[in-house]
Amino acid sequence: MRNAKWKAATRAAFALTGVGALAAGMAMLLPGTASAGTTLGASATEKGRYFGTAVAANRLSDGAYTTILNREFNSVTPENEMKIDATEPQQGQFSYSSAERIVSHARSQGMSVRGHTLAWHSQQPGWMQNMSGSALRQAMLNHVTQVATHFRGQIVTWDVVNEAFADGSSGARRDSNLQRTGNDWIEAAFRAARAADPGAKLCYNDYNTDNWTHAKTQAVYNMVRDFKSRGVPIDCVGFQSHFNNDSPYVSNYRTTLSSFAALGVDVQVTELDIQGASATTYRSVVEDCLAVARCNGITVWGIRDSDSWRASQTPLLFNSNGSKKPAYDAVLAALNNGTTPTDPPTDPPTDPPTDPPTTPPPGQGGCTATVSVNQWTGGFVATVKVTAGSSAINGWTVGIALPSGATVTNAWNANRSGNTGSTSWTNVAYNGQVGAGQATEWGFQANGTAGTLSPACSAR
Ligand code: G3I
């Protein structure tokens, strides 16, 4: 049974392109034992998820901010720095310094990065706002291609298209200059993003898509179903989840997540904040995500209330002075007590891995490591699973010999020594402690061909 689940989850994970899908699959394999994680990132990792936050580049010089960021989170989303007005302020002139500051910080801390966002009706620079028709279509596609190419290998997931559907009961696309270039602008953006960065998972991201009965939710669902049926390269759907009195959390949120997941995409909570930060509501959101195998991560839209775009609603997990709120405790408890989901992905595998992993026999103490590879022409993503033997471990080191021509470009949830030939990897702060028989995952992306990788694990 366990092997069957392992194979199903692994095959489904490899049908996608990134580590998150595999992590979600892994979550189905691990026993649902209570864990002892003491940070959001560590506890989410134990459930095969990431826990992220929006980050503003200009706050990275605030020591209190970065202390919480580095301690609690293992994924970041640039809050504004990868938007169109920031990255292409003049047509054809790209500006990446603020975004790179965040990517660099994330990399130094072993955090993964969600890219936000390549195509959007809002926060367009003036030159784009004034464009229309085929010139705008070309400019949009060039933007997607240039930015995704620039960050290729450094972004685990891109929000390719953001907020393309109208509010209200119409179920229609939102009117915008991009929409007026033709209804196929969204799929064109996804195809351009896939071509530019084949290793990134590609998401559609929107708000007010939480309530399963709402027209907007159904309209996005129908688009994703259509995309999957026609082979448009979409891997995931982001649910912003800005909950407030006008747009509250609803109990069918879990149904929404699981219904989208059943289309064969990952689902992610991408911009979570809750007016008043009800601990009960935060807990429900986490439990809903944990209940859906393909819900592979949660991102809150800021760290402290004072960092929020809606600061007066005090919607986040930390007070403005940096102290943990009851909502924080509720989220951590939900992550630690969460049961592992049992609903397997329904998407049949379409793209089997080139190097299927095998489950290691539990060792006596120490650790074992297995690697699975998603290879495409010119590059690959390697997802590595470190499993503790019969005793808990306090840290791990994994050696991997890369074949000639393979060069690591990006890594997450591990510290790296070397990017070609003999590489050595050690745990980051939040994933060194692994219980007996338990596992943690990390990964890297590289140029070249993986061939057969044989990781060697040693424990501390
Ligand atoms: O940095 C300038 C500052 O120099 C200037 O003095 C000030 C004057 O207004 O503006 C500052 O820029 C603001 C920027 O946030 C940084 O604080 C912009 O005006 C303001 O428009 C911008 O708001 C952002 C908003 O997106 C814009 O649409 C929020 O920070 C950001 O949290 C928010 O994020 C969006 C997601 O991208 C998509 N989903 C909804 C979410 C919330 O609106």
Side-chain angles (χ1 to χ4, degrees), residues 54 58-59 78-80 83 116-117 120 122-123 162-163 205 207 240 242 271 273 301 307-309:
N58 61 11
R59 292 187 202 275
E79 187 173 358
N80 289 298
K83 293 173 178 174
H116 173 83
T117 176
W120 191 19
S122 183
Q123 280 184 273
N162 195 40
E163 302 176 0
N205 190 54
Y207 66 91
Q240 293 184 11
H242 294 291
E271 304 182 15
D273 49 22
W301 206 238
D307 303 317
S308 170
W309 69 301

Coordinates of all heavy atoms in Angstrom, one line a residue, residues 54 58-59 78-80 83 116-117 120 122-123 162-163 205 207 240 242 271 273 301 307-309, ligand 1:
A54 N 5.3 37.5 1.7 CA 5.7 38.5 0.8 C 6.8 39.3 1.5 O 6.8 39.6 2.7 CB 4.5 39.5 0.5
N58 N 12.9 47.0 0.4 CA 13.4 48.1 1.3 C 13.3 47.7 2.8 O 13.8 48.5 3.6 CB 12.7 49.4 0.9 CG 11.2 49.3 1.2 OD1 10.7 48.4 1.8 ND2 10.5 50.3 0.7
R59 N 12.7 46.6 3.1 CA 12.7 46.2 4.5 C 13.8 45.3 4.9 O 14.0 45.0 6.1 CB 11.3 45.6 4.9 CG 10.1 46.5 4.8 CD 8.9 45.9 5.3 NE 7.7 46.6 4.7 CZ 7.2 47.7 5.2 NH1 7.6 48.2 6.3 NH2 6.1 48.3 4.7
P78 N 8.5 38.4 -3.8 CA 8.7 39.8 -3.8 C 7.3 40.5 -3.9 O 6.5 40.2 -4.8 CB 9.5 40.0 -5.1 CG 10.2 38.7 -5.3 CD 9.2 37.7 -4.8
E79 N 7.0 41.5 -3.0 CA 5.7 42.1 -2.9 C 5.4 42.9 -4.1 O 4.3 42.9 -4.6 CB 5.5 42.9 -1.6 CG 4.1 43.4 -1.4 CD 3.9 44.0 0.0 OE1 4.9 44.0 0.8 OE2 2.8 44.5 0.2
N80 N 6.4 43.7 -4.6 CA 6.2 44.6 -5.7 C 7.3 44.6 -6.8 O 7.2 45.0 -7.9 CB 6.0 46.0 -5.2 CG 4.7 46.3 -4.5 OD1 3.7 46.2 -5.1 ND2 4.8 46.6 -3.2
K83 N 7.0 43.1 -10.4 CA 5.9 43.5 -11.2 C 6.4 44.3 -12.5 O 7.6 44.7 -12.5 CB 4.9 44.3 -10.4 CG 4.3 43.5 -9.3 CD 3.4 44.3 -8.3 CE 2.8 43.5 -7.3 NZ 2.1 44.2 -6.2
H116 N 6.4 37.0 -8.8 CA 5.0 37.7 -8.9 C 5.2 39.1 -9.5 O 5.9 39.9 -8.9 CB 4.5 37.8 -7.5 CG 3.2 38.5 -7.3 ND1 2.0 38.0 -7.6 CD2 3.0 39.8 -6.9 CE1 1.0 38.9 -7.4 NE2 1.6 40.0 -7.0
T117 N 4.7 39.4 -10.6 CA 3.9 38.5 -11.5 C 4.2 39.0 -12.9 O 4.6 40.2 -13.1 CB 2.4 38.7 -11.3 OG1 1.6 38.0 -12.2 CG2 2.0 40.2 -11.3
W120 N -0.2 41.3 -16.0 CA -1.2 41.8 -15.1 C -1.8 43.1 -15.6 O -1.0 43.9 -16.2 CB -0.6 42.1 -13.7 CG -1.5 42.3 -12.5 CD1 -2.8 42.1 -12.4 CD2 -1.1 43.0 -11.3 NE1 -3.3 42.4 -11.2 CE2 -2.3 43.0 -10.5 CE3 0.1 43.5 -10.8 CZ2 -2.3 43.5 -9.2 CZ3 0.1 44.0 -9.5 CH2 -1.1 44.0 -8.7
S122 N -2.7 45.5 -13.8 CA -2.4 46.6 -12.9 C -0.9 46.7 -12.8 O -0.1 45.9 -13.2 CB -3.0 46.2 -11.5 OG -2.7 47.3 -10.6
Q123 N -0.5 47.8 -12.2 CA 1.0 48.1 -12.0 C 1.7 48.0 -13.3 O 2.9 47.5 -13.3 CB 1.6 47.3 -10.9 CG 1.2 48.0 -9.5 CD 1.9 47.3 -8.3 OE1 1.3 46.4 -7.8 NE2 3.0 47.8 -7.9
N162 N -2.0 37.3 -13.4 CA -2.6 37.7 -12.2 C -3.9 38.4 -12.4 O -4.0 39.3 -13.3 CB -1.6 38.7 -11.5 CG -2.0 38.9 -10.0 OD1 -2.3 38.0 -9.3 ND2 -1.8 40.2 -9.5
E163 N -5.0 38.0 -11.7 CA -6.2 38.7 -11.6 C -6.9 39.1 -13.0 O -7.3 40.2 -13.2 CB -6.0 40.0 -10.8 CG -5.4 39.7 -9.4 CD -5.1 41.0 -8.7 OE1 -5.3 42.1 -9.2 OE2 -4.6 40.9 -7.5
N205 N -3.0 33.2 -10.8 CA -3.2 33.7 -9.5 C -4.4 34.7 -9.4 O -4.5 35.6 -10.3 CB -1.9 34.4 -9.0 CG -1.9 34.8 -7.6 OD1 -2.1 33.9 -6.7 ND2 -1.6 36.0 -7.2
Y207 N -7.8 36.7 -6.8 CA -8.5 36.9 -5.5 C -10.0 36.7 -5.6 O -10.5 36.7 -6.7 CB -8.1 38.3 -4.9 CG -8.7 39.4 -5.8 CD1 -10.0 39.9 -5.5 CD2 -8.1 40.0 -6.8 CE1 -10.6 40.9 -6.2 CE2 -8.6 41.0 -7.6 CZ -9.9 41.5 -7.3 OH -10.4 42.5 -8.1
Q240 N -5.2 33.9 -3.7 CA -4.6 35.0 -2.9 C -5.1 35.0 -1.4 O -4.4 35.2 -0.5 CB -4.9 36.4 -3.5 CG -4.3 36.6 -4.9 CD -4.5 37.9 -5.4 OE1 -5.0 38.9 -4.8 NE2 -4.1 38.1 -6.7
H242 N -7.1 37.0 0.4 CA -7.2 38.2 1.3 C -8.6 38.3 1.9 O -9.6 38.7 1.3 CB -7.0 39.5 0.4 CG -5.7 39.6 -0.2 ND1 -4.5 39.9 0.5 CD2 -5.2 39.5 -1.5 CE1 -3.5 39.9 -0.2 NE2 -3.9 39.7 -1.5
E271 N -1.4 34.8 -0.9 CA -1.3 36.1 -0.4 C -2.2 36.3 0.9 O -2.9 37.2 1.1 CB -1.7 37.2 -1.4 CG -1.0 37.1 -2.7 CD -1.4 38.2 -3.7 OE1 -2.0 39.2 -3.3 OE2 -1.0 38.0 -4.9
D273 N -4.0 37.0 4.1 CA -4.1 37.9 5.3 C -5.6 37.9 5.6 O -6.4 37.6 4.8 CB -3.5 39.3 5.1 CG -4.0 40.0 3.8 OD1 -5.0 39.6 3.2 OD2 -3.3 40.9 3.3
W301 N 0.8 37.6 3.3 CA 1.2 38.8 2.5 C 1.8 39.8 3.4 O 1.3 40.9 3.7 CB 0.0 39.3 1.8 CG 0.3 40.1 0.6 CD1 0.0 41.4 0.3 CD2 1.1 39.6 -0.6 NE1 0.5 41.7 -1.0 CE2 1.2 40.7 -1.5 CE3 1.7 38.4 -0.9 CZ2 1.9 40.6 -2.7 CZ3 2.4 38.3 -2.1 CH2 2.4 39.4 -3.0
D307 N 3.8 45.8 8.2 CA 4.3 45.6 6.9 C 3.2 45.4 5.9 O 3.4 45.3 4.7 CB 5.2 44.3 6.8 CG 6.4 44.4 7.8 OD1 7.0 45.5 7.9 OD2 6.7 43.4 8.5
S308 N 1.9 45.3 6.4 CA 0.8 44.9 5.5 C 0.3 46.0 4.6 O 0.3 47.2 5.1 CB -0.3 44.4 6.4 OG -1.5 44.2 5.6
W309 N -0.1 45.7 3.4 CA -0.8 46.7 2.6 C -2.1 47.1 3.2 O -2.7 48.2 2.8 CB -1.1 46.1 1.2 CG -2.1 45.0 1.1 CD1 -2.1 43.8 1.8 CD2 -3.3 45.0 0.4 NE1 -3.2 43.1 1.5 CE2 -4.0 43.8 0.6 CE3 -3.9 45.9 -0.5 CZ2 -5.2 43.5 0.0 CZ3 -5.1 45.6 -1.1 CH2 -5.8 44.4 -0.8
Ligands
G3I1 O1 7.4 53.0 -2.9 C1 6.5 54.1 -3.2 C2 6.8 55.3 -2.4 O2 8.1 55.8 -2.8 C3 5.8 56.4 -2.5 O3 6.1 57.4 -1.7 C4 4.4 55.9 -2.2 C5 3.3 56.9 -2.5 O4 2.1 56.3 -2.6 O5 4.2 54.7 -3.0 C6 5.1 53.7 -2.8 O6 4.7 52.6 -3.7 C7 3.6 51.9 -3.3 C8 4.0 50.4 -3.1 O7 2.9 49.6 -2.8 C9 5.1 50.2 -2.1 O8 4.5 50.5 -0.8 C10 2.5 52.0 -4.3 O9 2.1 53.4 -4.3 C11 1.4 51.1 -4.0 O10 0.5 51.1 -5.1 C12 1.9 49.7 -3.8 O11 0.8 48.9 -3.4 C13 1.0 47.5 -3.7 C14 -0.2 47.0 -4.4 O12 -0.1 45.6 -4.6 C15 -0.3 47.6 -5.8 O13 -1.3 47.0 -6.6 C16 1.1 46.8 -2.3 O14 2.3 47.1 -1.7 C17 1.1 45.2 -2.6 O15 1.0 44.6 -1.3 C18 -0.1 44.9 -3.4 O16 -0.1 43.5 -3.7 C19 -1.2 43.0 -4.4 C20 -0.7 41.8 -5.2 O17 0.4 42.2 -6.0 C21 -1.8 41.2 -6.0 N1 -2.9 40.8 -5.2 C22 -3.4 41.9 -4.4 C23 -2.3 42.5 -3.5 C24 -2.9 43.5 -2.6 O18 -3.3 44.6 -3.3

